[in-house]
Amino acid sequence: MEKVVIIGSGCAGWTAALYTARADLKPLVLAGKQPGGLLTTTSIVENFPGFPEGVDGTVYFGSHDKKFYALKPDGKHLGVPGEDLLETKGVTYCATCDGALPVFRNQPLVVVGGGDSACEEALYLTRFGSVVHLVHRRDSLRASKIMQERVHTHTKIKPIWDSAVTEILDVKQDRVTGVKLKNLKTGAESILPCAGVFIAIGHVPNTEIFKGQIETDANGFIVPKEGTMTNVPGVFVAGDCADHVYRQAVTAAGAGCAAAIDAERFLSARNE
């Protein structure tokens, strides 16, 4: 029987593994389809301490030689042509992670979504892009009132209502050059030039496998009870599956450290 099993190989998981390994608990890490977590889909990480020039997400966070056990990952993609092939080449899922990259500066950008996450992404990107097109399937935002007001009053944000992205261009050029749009009311199609597509249709925590066992909130995020302890004794939580506010590499790593220490103390109290 394993003393410690860590589900997930993102910043929280690897940090928890490091701390529990140093405590001689011999942790078993169960990784998903993308060893290193979603951060490995980012071409460069510039906001993790210790790397003033930035670091490649795939190389630093995803390169490990251990044996992995597959778990079904969550999905928050659009599922349109060009999306997967242009990921890290102009398609991204985190404005805070990638928005400041040179390729996006002073360029037209597209944010897909209509909730608080999409509004936050759009507002953040106004610091870098020449214009930010906010594409939403409805004729009004689903975001909180304050976020709606900020978006509507910002001169750089241009909402595109009742529309959906049907394709991301251009795979042949191996970079994002624009998106194909379809008006969901009229059926009219158009092409909108842009240098980046930021998909913010909602953060879906990968917690479905724990449904009915570990307590989650209405959006599926695991709810810590005491420190990182969940409602199930001996089960601790860290990372984006419990964080709907920050969702950053450094905060995930810190939570992973805390979860490992809590797990070590839990086992020690049981003389295990």
Side-chain angles (χ1 to χ4, degrees), residues 101-163:
L101 293 176
V103 68
F104 299 132
R105 290 182 178 270
N106 301 313
Q107 298 293 324
L109 305 174
V110 166
V111 173
V112 183
D116 278 355
S117 294
C119 290
E120 290 172 3
E121 300 269 280
L123 288 164
Y124 181 78
L125 291 171
T126 59
R127 307 178 189 181
F128 312 107
S130 58
V131 61
V132 179
H133 300 284
L134 183 58
V135 179
H136 186 39
R137 300 177 63 89
R138 305 180 184 181
D139 59 4
S140 62
L141 296 171
R142 295 181 292 104
S144 59
K145 185 175 181 180
I146 184 63
M147 294 304 294
Q148 291 188 44
E149 291 176 353
R150 291 174 182 173
V151 165
H152 289 314
T153 57
H154 204 293
T155 58
K156 271 193 174 184
I157 299 178
K158 310 295 182 185
I160 300 178
W161 305 117
D162 302 312
S163 298

Side-chain angles (χ1 to χ4, degrees), residues 258-272:
I261 292 174
D262 285 345
E264 179 185 357
R265 290 174 177 172
F266 175 84
L267 292 172
S268 178
R270 295 164 56 94
N271 296 317
E272 295 183 16

Side-chain angles (χ1 to χ4, degrees), residues 143-200:
S144 59
K145 185 175 181 180
I146 184 63
M147 294 304 294
Q148 291 188 44
E149 291 176 353
R150 291 174 182 173
V151 165
H152 289 314
T153 57
H154 204 293
T155 58
K156 271 193 174 184
I157 299 178
K158 310 295 182 185
I160 300 178
W161 305 117
D162 302 312
S163 298
V165 172
T166 58
E167 184 177 353
I168 300 176
L169 309 170
D170 184 358
V171 171
K172 289 184 179 180
Q173 296 189 47
D174 201 34
R175 65 184 178 90
V176 169
T177 62
V179 294
K180 282 187 178 181
L181 298 175
K182 181 178 181 179
N183 186 291
L184 300 178
K185 288 187 175 179
T186 67
E189 296 183 326
S190 61
I191 293 179
L192 178 66
C194 66
V197 179
F198 295 78
I199 299 171

